Each structure stands twice: as C-alpha cells, then as structure tokens.
Amino acid sequence: MAMDAVWKRIGVTENCTKESLQNQVLRRGCQNLGLEVQRVPRNSSEDHYCGSCSFGCRVGDKKGTDTTWLVDAVAHGAVILTGCKAESFILKKEDSTKRQKCFGVIATALSSTVTRKLQIEAKVSISACGALLTPPLLIRSGLKNPYIGSNLHLHPVQHAWGYFPESSTEIEGASFEGGIITSVHKVVSENSDVHAIIEATGVGPGAVSAALPWVSGQDMKERMLKYARTVNIFALVRDQSHGEVKEEGSIKYWLNAFDKRNLTIGLRQCLRILVAAGAVEVGTYRSDGQRLQCKGINKDKLEEFLDTVSSPGGPLSHGEKWVLYGSAHQMGSCRMGATEEDGALDENGQCWEAKDLFVCDGSVLPSAIGVNPMITIESTAYCISKRIAAYLKNNCS
C-alpha cells in the first residue's frame, strides 16, 4: 500500500527515547488530568534530539524530501534546476473540444545575470508547488476551473504558553531542544467528536518576540529572558472554514463561528494542561497580554480565568482585543473531484481542463484532515505518481 511504502521510505518511528521540554509538559499535564495522550509517528530515529528541525535538521537524521524522494529522483536520472521559478505551463488546443493539452513549462531564472527564459518541453507536466502556489501557477497558465484557488483549508491554530522555571519542576530541557512534535492529545466531546488536537511546537526566539503582545518594554524583556523555559503548545482544528488563493501572495480566509468555538475549547484545554503540568504562569497571545499567575490557584479560580479566554478577531478586525492566529498546514485549494463540476482535478490528479497536466501536492486533498498531513500528502503523491507512470506507459510510448 502507498502509506506503507511512504512509512518505510521516510523511516517513520513511533517511539521517542527522550522528549523535548514542550512534549514532556504536554504529557505530564495530560497524565495529571487523567487525559489520554498519544505518541506521534515521526520521520526520524527514536533518539533524535536536535531541536532545529523546524529550521532544517542540522544532523541529517530527519528524513525529509531532500534526503529521500529527491535523492531517489536524481539516482534515477532526474535533473534538479535551482534558482528558477515556474511562470506558466505551455497550453495549446489540439482539437475542437474545450480541453487543452500541456506541452511543458516556461520558467524564469532568479539570477540577474540570466536574462533568457527557460522553455522545458515534456510529455507530462506536474505542479507540486503546494496549496498556496499551485493555484496561482495554474491560473497564470490560463486555467479557469472555479475550484482552482478556492476550498483552501489552513488548519487554524491558537497558542498558549506556560512558564516552568527550573527551580519549580524536575522536568528538564529548554524550549529550543529536542524533537518538535512527539505527543498529541485529542480534545473530544461527550459524543466523541474531536473539537481540536493539542500538540507542542518548536518556536524560535524571533518568532516568539514577534508574536508576543506588547504590554511594555520591561514586560517584553522579562518574557524573552524566560524564553528557554517557556513552553508553547497549540490547539489545531479540522476547519470547516475555507479561503482562497487566486494570486501569489494574496490569501483570503474566513474563519467561521463553528471553528472559532472549537479553537476556544482547545485553547482552554491547553491552559488546563499547562497548569496541571506545574506552570507558575500561563497565558495566551491575545493583544492585551492575557495571563494568569498559577501559584496556589484552585479549580474554580482557573475556570473563572478560562471563561475569559476566547477566539476574537485578528489584527484587522479592529476589535479592542484581538489575537494572532496561525496556520499549521495548507491544503485543498486544487481539490480532486468526480467531475469538472466537483473539483479541479480528476481521480488521477490530472487537470480537467488540460490533458497531460497533473497536480501532486497537498492542494489535491478535498478537505482538511485534522491531523499532521505529511504522510497523507506523500501517500497521495505516491498514488498519483504511480498513475502518471501508467499513463505515460499507455499513452506516450
């Protein structure tokens, strides 16, 4: 099966010898609350603890695309052109039908010393630019299916933080050490519906300083001094909301009330977990610097604080209090569909409007999936690639 092949190639492991500070806190808090916490399969060895994978694994232990699939492609004769950008596909009408045929791609070199465009001709062309860049490329090429660039899902997240001074807990480590995500908690309703999942995140000092609400210069300095022992965890929802990306760099997204409610439920659970794990102070990233001192706090006082935690508008909402939302993963903006009226692509990943033009990335997914999508996307790409190989054998030999 595709997922088994992907699992094997990228070296997925389900155990972790030593968890990072963030994941230890998540696990400890859940255990103290009697909540279930699960291991997260990851594409690295069980004892991987580099702490820099979100910026590029410095020891090469993480089995990303650069050390697996691209290596395989080069070993089988592929040529990788760096420093250039795909501008448009070469589309021409071949007969009286409205469907066009793709003959290749036009690319521009990003170096100022190369002034000529590249014209690459191919029997089959594939866009694998991701959910934010594939739609603009197809639209620039002249395709007009309404599902190209729409149905964008973002897995919206809200973060909570907790401060764990070394003097107050035996949990070891710093926020910039260890694996990024090794544990997950699912926030479920009484009917077993999943409101959100809660995971840890690897956030560098630059990102933290940019996201922290401005209270005062003194507060910012104190918060950054505590960075190494400040744990960030987040609530992620499988969004029913959607957006669009029709032009490169222009993204529109409308977060609906249902997803905001689930984010609020997840964010409140994040704070409960941080308090239960032993945080001396917790807070959100709301614009007023919302936070709570935890020493001696009882359940009633905690719940009273949590009642004030919500999911308000973003910075452009012009509300008195606002919050920075994040996007964990982008998908769905060039969805597959059974017919041209249901999606931009057929079940093989081929564009309904253009023969010999395929899409092979997260944009093909028809909806948000609610969990980390790496293996799902790579497995889908694996299936599409097998279909493309069969298509070439049968039609282009």
Side-chain angles (χ1 to χ4, degrees), residues 253-272:
Y253 186 79
W254 302 273
L255 188 62
N256 64 29
F258 178 82
D259 289 334
K260 280 189 174 183
R261 176 177 175 273
N262 280 336
L263 276 171
T264 299
I265 291 171
L267 184 60
R268 291 175 178 177
Q269 190 79 319
C270 285
L271 291 162
R272 291 188 187 96

Side-chain angles (χ1 to χ4, degrees), residues 139-318:
I139 291 171
R140 288 199 305 269
S141 303
L143 300 187
K144 301 184 183 301
N145 185 292
Y147 281 101
I148 298 175
S150 61
N151 191 55
L152 174 66
H153 294 277
L154 296 179
H155 277 175
V157 302
Q158 274 221 68
H159 286 80
W161 58 266
Y163 178 50
F164 294 80
E166 291 180 313
S167 59
S168 68
T169 177
E170 73 277 14
I171 301 177
E172 299 179 346
S175 61
F176 49 83
E177 297 174 340
I180 304 171
I181 298 175
T182 55
S183 294
V184 60
H185 166 63
K186 294 181 180 179
V187 185
V188 298
S189 68
E190 294 179 354
N191 299 323
S192 299
D193 295 324
V194 178
H195 291 295
I197 64 171
I198 295 176
E199 294 178 319
T201 181
V203 185
V208 169
S209 63
L212 281 174
W214 181 265
V215 176
S216 68
Q218 180 68 25
D219 177 75
M220 177 64 73
K221 293 172 184 176
E222 291 176 355
R223 291 249 51 87
M224 293 310 298
L225 285 172
K226 297 175 180 178
Y227 162 73
R229 293 290 295 183
T230 298
V231 169
N232 281 275
I233 60 177
F234 63 83
L236 176 156
V237 300
R238 182 183 184 185
D239 46 327
Q240 295 186 4
S241 308
H242 62 86
E244 65 178 32
V245 53
K246 301 285 187 178
E247 298 179 21
E248 190 171 331
S250 178
I251 302 168
K252 299 177 182 178
Y253 186 79
W254 302 273
L255 188 62
N256 64 29
F258 178 82
D259 289 334
K260 280 189 174 183
R261 176 177 175 273
N262 280 336
L263 276 171
T264 299
I265 291 171
L267 184 60
R268 291 175 178 177
Q269 190 79 319
C270 285
L271 291 162
R272 291 188 187 96
I273 290 169
L274 291 168
V275 172
V280 300
E281 185 181 20
V282 297
T284 70
Y285 284 87
R286 202 172 70 183
S287 57
D288 60 345
Q290 184 181 42
R291 65 189 69 180
L292 173 71
Q293 299 294 328
C294 304
K295 185 176 181 180
I297 193 165
N298 58 38
K299 184 177 180 181
D300 291 339
K301 285 293 183 181
L302 174 59
E303 292 301 320
E304 182 180 329
F305 169 74
L306 294 179
D307 286 340
T308 69
V309 174
S310 62
S311 298
L316 298 181
S317 65
H318 305 296

Side-chain angles (χ1 to χ4, degrees), residues 33-46:
L33 291 171
L35 303 174
E36 182 180 5
V37 59
Q38 301 172 337
R39 294 285 190 189
V40 175
R42 57 179 184 155
N43 54 328
S44 60
S45 63
E46 294 183 358

